[in-house]
Amino acid sequence: MKKLIITAVAAFSILFGSSNFASAASNIYTVKSGDSLYKIARNHNISVYNLKRWNNLKSDTIYPKQRLKVSGSAAPATNPASQNKSSNVARTLTVSASAFTANCRGCSGITATGFNLKKNPNAKVISVDPRVIKLGTKVYVPGYGYAVAADKGSAIKGNRIDVFMSSHKAAINWGRKTVKIQILK
């Protein structure tokens, strides 16, 4: 009987000890080429907001081989706007989101509202169809953050947006995705 108890205790120790180790190891994610904060957050069932907060990220830029915490002590939240009891979200809208840059041949970098993106490469600006989202509207885009609808594009019609990226590489990494944005009051 004593031998059976010792065997059972040893088995539980190995089982629970290794599961804790596996759990701790799964709390860190190593960024791969082509990853975005949105993609990592979606794959780990967490919010981009928490992913950035847990890793003290001030921008949406990440690099291959960078190690990120993908869990924390706080319960995941979709974004800061959803944490307010008196929400500042006017409505949500599902859109197709692509990316653009001001650093291309023939690009002036000046938005439809007169904002200079070349002088402000860290600006959070989206291009919209003004019939769907008025210019000057503040929005929250998952994987991108808070932004202002400050530009319009000839190819941006209906429920489409373009998010501004400071480099061509970042725009390519964003790709095209369907996201549910929040139009803020």
Side-chain angles (χ1 to χ4, degrees):
M1 182 70 169
K2 189 175 181 182
K3 193 174 189 181
L4 179 62
I5 293 173
I6 292 172
T7 305
V9 169
F12 280 114
S13 296
I14 291 169
L15 178 64
F16 290 113
S18 64
S19 70
N20 286 341
F21 176 75
S23 175
S26 67
N27 291 339
I28 302 296
Y29 176 79
T30 303
V31 176
K32 296 174 186 68
S33 182
D35 276 344
S36 67
L37 290 176
Y38 175 77
K39 183 177 175 182
I40 295 166
R42 186 182 66 211
N43 288 343
H44 289 87
N45 199 27
I46 58 175
S47 68
V48 172
Y49 172 76
N50 278 339
L51 183 60
K52 288 178 73 172
R53 186 169 55 97
W54 295 334
N55 292 283
N56 293 322
L57 298 175
K58 303 298 181 211
S59 74
D60 291 338
T61 305
I62 54 175
Y63 305 95
K65 298 182 182 174
Q66 183 177 2
R67 294 173 51 94
L68 298 175
K69 284 179 68 176
V70 291
S71 69
S73 58
T78 54
N79 64 59
S82 69
Q83 293 175 346
N84 295 339
K85 289 188 179 174
S86 59
S87 180
N88 61 347
V89 177
R91 65 185 171 114
T92 60
L93 184 66
T94 301
V95 298
S96 175
S98 52
F100 74 102
T101 182
N103 299 321
C104 61
R105 184 173 293 150
C107 295
S108 69
I110 307 296
T111 68
T113 58
F115 190 77
N116 189 332
L117 295 171
K118 288 185 178 181
K119 288 185 179 178
N120 300 283
N122 295 320
K124 294 288 191 167
V125 169
I126 65 170
S127 181
V128 299
D129 180 343
R131 295 172 298 171
V132 177
I133 301 171
K134 291 181 182 178
L135 291 174
T137 301
K138 294 178 183 167
V139 299
Y140 177 80
V141 181
Y144 185 68
Y146 290 99
V148 174
D151 203 9
K152 57 184 181 174
S154 60
I156 307 302
K157 301 289 183 212
N159 288 12
R160 285 202 53 209
I161 64 169
D162 253 354
V163 297
F164 169 69
M165 297 288 182
S166 60
S167 72
H168 179 73
K169 183 178 179 181
I172 295 298
N173 285 341
W174 174 271
R176 179 181 302 272
K177 55 188 83 171
T178 300
V179 294
K180 190 172 189 175
I181 66 171
Q182 295 177 338
I183 312 296
L184 306 177
K185 293 178 185 174

